[in-house]
Amino acid sequence: MEHMFLENFKRKVIHVNNTLPAHSDIAALLPCYTSTGDCTSLLIRDGTVRLLTLRVRTAIARLARRQATDLLSLKQACSENTQRTNLQPLPLSAELLLFPVKIRTPRVPGDTCTGYMNYHAVKSVLPCAHNPAHATITLAGSHTVTALWRAATVTRYLQLSQLAAFAAPLTAGRIVREATGQYQTDLTILHKMTELQEMLLKRQLR
């Protein structure tokens, strides 16, 4: 099943361009099948769509390289802080906090089913009107994406993104404000943030 945002694809201004925009302009990176193969739909916060002839994994690696960020080390740090071995949030900068969402069923074994949303671009996360087992995510630029996860699962990843950003090297100690008002940070994550804040303060005092 291809992600359902493609239903609105024709109504967007689409550019085929492998140039990556500023972090603050990115709303989401979604895997997308085209006539040339598995590509990436880059949703821009101004409402346009950029089609990259790159896989999502490659696009994220290039974004990390532009920040001189060791993506493997970042994933390891986020894995330790969120206790997740797979599908970790990726705080690449203060403006680009990516979190994973399942948005399609791959046609070919080995193709990814996962897209990445920018935490700061999320406007709302609600159960899909036609299928409560899925979620409708509204992003800046009036983009709407259907996730193949329940809204509660997407919300959980938003919360884990806060935790990952709080402890990541490029965003350490910064409190991430609520992006939507549709969800709240749960007590477990708040407690973990407090522990990490105390740890960071101890390091500064050494």
Side-chain angles (χ1 to χ4, degrees):
M1 179 178 178
E2 187 68 22
H3 49 74
M4 295 176 65
F5 104 96
L6 286 175
E7 295 175 1
N8 299 321
F9 203 69
K10 294 180 180 178
R11 293 197 284 270
K12 301 291 184 178
V13 179
I14 304 171
H15 305 282
V16 181
N17 188 341
N18 282 344
T19 302
L20 295 170
H23 284 188
S24 58
D25 293 335
I26 296 173
L29 298 98
L30 309 177
C32 175
Y33 289 118
T34 70
S35 58
T36 60
D38 197 10
C39 298
T40 298
S41 297
L42 181 60
L43 308 191
I44 309 298
R45 296 183 71 165
D46 65 4
T48 59
V49 177
R50 187 174 298 180
L51 184 61
L52 308 178
T53 57
L54 309 167
R55 292 175 180 255
V56 168
R57 185 181 305 169
T58 302
I60 291 176
R62 289 190 180 184
L63 287 167
R65 194 180 308 125
R66 192 168 67 182
Q67 291 291 115
T69 299
D70 183 336
L71 195 55
L72 179 58
S73 296
L74 179 63
K75 288 181 178 181
Q76 290 174 340
C78 291
S79 178
E80 291 176 2
N81 294 324
T82 62
Q83 278 87 57
R84 297 201 64 84
T85 56
N86 296 308
L87 297 180
Q88 304 94 344
L90 298 174
L92 295 180
S93 69
E95 297 80 23
L96 187 59
L97 172 51
L98 297 175
F99 67 94
V101 177
K102 182 179 180 180
I103 57 154
R104 72 175 184 183
T105 300
R107 297 176 185 173
V108 180
D111 284 353
T112 185
C113 63
T114 307
Y116 284 82
M117 314 285 170
N118 186 356
Y119 173 100
H120 301 292
V122 176
K123 297 299 182 184
S124 67
V125 178
L126 298 170
C128 184
H130 303 294
N131 187 344
H134 296 166
T136 298
I137 305 170
T138 302
L139 303 169
S142 299
H143 298 291
T144 301
V145 179
T146 299
L148 304 188
W149 285 344
R150 293 184 181 274
T153 303
V154 177
T155 298
R156 177 62 177 171
Y157 271 91
L158 279 163
Q159 295 170 341
L160 289 172
S161 298
Q162 295 176 299
L163 180 56
F166 191 79
L170 292 176
T171 53
R174 299 180 185 179
I175 298 175
V176 180
R177 297 182 181 276
E178 302 296 345
T180 70
Q182 299 289 328
Y183 57 92
Q184 296 180 354
T185 306
D186 68 23
L187 293 177
T188 301
I189 289 180
L190 283 173
H191 179 67
K192 184 66 174 179
M193 283 184 175
T194 301
E195 291 180 349
L196 288 169
Q197 188 173 38
E198 292 175 352
M199 180 185 70
L200 289 168
L201 286 172
K202 289 179 180 178
R203 288 180 180 176
Q204 292 173 0
L205 293 173
R206 286 178 182 174

